Amino acid sequence: RNVKKTYAAITVGNPGNRVVIDKPIGRHPVHRQRMRVVPDPSAKNSSNRVVRGQMMADAMASKPPSQLGRRALSFVDTLAFDGKLSVVQVRIETGRTHQIRVHLQDRHTPIYGDDVYGLADWNKKLSKTHGVQRPLLHAARLEIDHPMTGDHMVITAPMASDMIKTADTIWPQGRDER
């Protein structure tokens, strides 16, 4: 499949520019409705030692594939940052459940308004000041090849007005670029 999916999001904090997030995602072991970045049993710390040791690696090897997670690849670019919030563009190579929300939360820059993976105090502020009670995540662009003709198709969707209002407070001059 040759599909390109690009999203816009507003995050708490600045996830950075040209960030590649290549971390597997799987179900949370306790909260089965939630997803999480699955810990890498062979991850090394700054002194190049295995963080969780051989016991963890052995335990992970015996787990079923559903608990190991599946590869998830996201590319993140911050378009604007006001010192607290960012307008970001995210392109995903894979399409895992809650992929963008989980990857950004793992970077400690969750999506503004996300009740599952976000920050409750920030979400309350968003609801109070802007009346927004949803994650500020938008499917902006989809590129596919038509299955019958092979023609390249680009489908775009305008951002919702509640998200535009919030984005304008962060990046007023960016309206033409969004």
Side-chain angles (χ1 to χ4, degrees):
R1 264 176 31 174
N2 188 17
V3 179
K4 286 185 182 175
K5 300 175 189 176
T6 306
Y7 294 79
I10 296 178
T11 64
V12 178
N14 184 354
N17 288 315
R18 296 186 179 172
V19 175
V20 177
I21 306 171
D22 189 358
K23 293 186 174 184
I25 293 176
R27 291 223 174 267
H28 191 283
V30 176
H31 306 286
R32 303 297 294 157
Q33 303 294 319
R34 291 181 59 150
M35 305 302 280
R36 68 174 182 147
V37 167
V38 177
D40 181 356
S42 62
K44 297 185 186 330
N45 64 15
S46 59
S47 55
N48 211 26
R49 294 187 180 162
V50 174
V51 175
R52 292 182 174 76
Q54 190 59 42
M55 286 176 45
M56 180 66 172
D58 293 343
M60 292 297 279
S62 65
K63 290 197 181 285
S66 63
Q67 291 181 13
L68 293 176
R70 296 175 69 194
R71 183 170 189 237
L73 181 59
S74 303
F75 302 92
V76 181
D77 276 304
T78 298
L79 304 175
F81 178 57
D82 71 359
K84 294 179 183 176
L85 301 173
S86 294
V87 176
V88 301
Q89 178 177 300
V90 183
R91 187 175 64 78
I92 59 173
E93 195 79 18
T94 52
R96 305 291 173 232
T97 303
H98 302 177
Q99 177 175 329
I100 296 169
R101 298 164 67 194
V102 171
H103 273 170
L104 289 172
Q105 186 243 0
D106 185 67
R107 286 189 65 78
H108 307 287
T109 56
I111 294 176
Y112 200 20
D114 190 336
D115 283 339
V116 176
Y117 301 102
L119 301 171
D121 54 336
W122 282 87
N123 295 344
K124 285 179 192 168
K125 182 180 176 184
L126 177 65
S127 177
K128 191 175 181 180
T129 60
H130 291 90
V132 177
Q133 296 180 337
R134 68 175 187 90
L136 293 179
L137 177 64
H138 169 68
R141 182 180 176 102
L142 176 68
E143 294 184 49
I144 58 172
D145 293 330
H146 191 280
M148 303 297 274
T149 65
D151 291 344
H152 187 70
M153 299 169 51
V154 177
I155 301 152
T156 59
M159 204 181 273
S161 61
D162 60 350
M163 193 164 165
I164 289 172
K165 266 196 254 180
T166 307
D168 281 348
T169 64
I170 302 163
W171 190 26
Q173 67 279 17
R175 186 176 276 254
D176 297 333
E177 297 183 44
R178 289 192 291 270

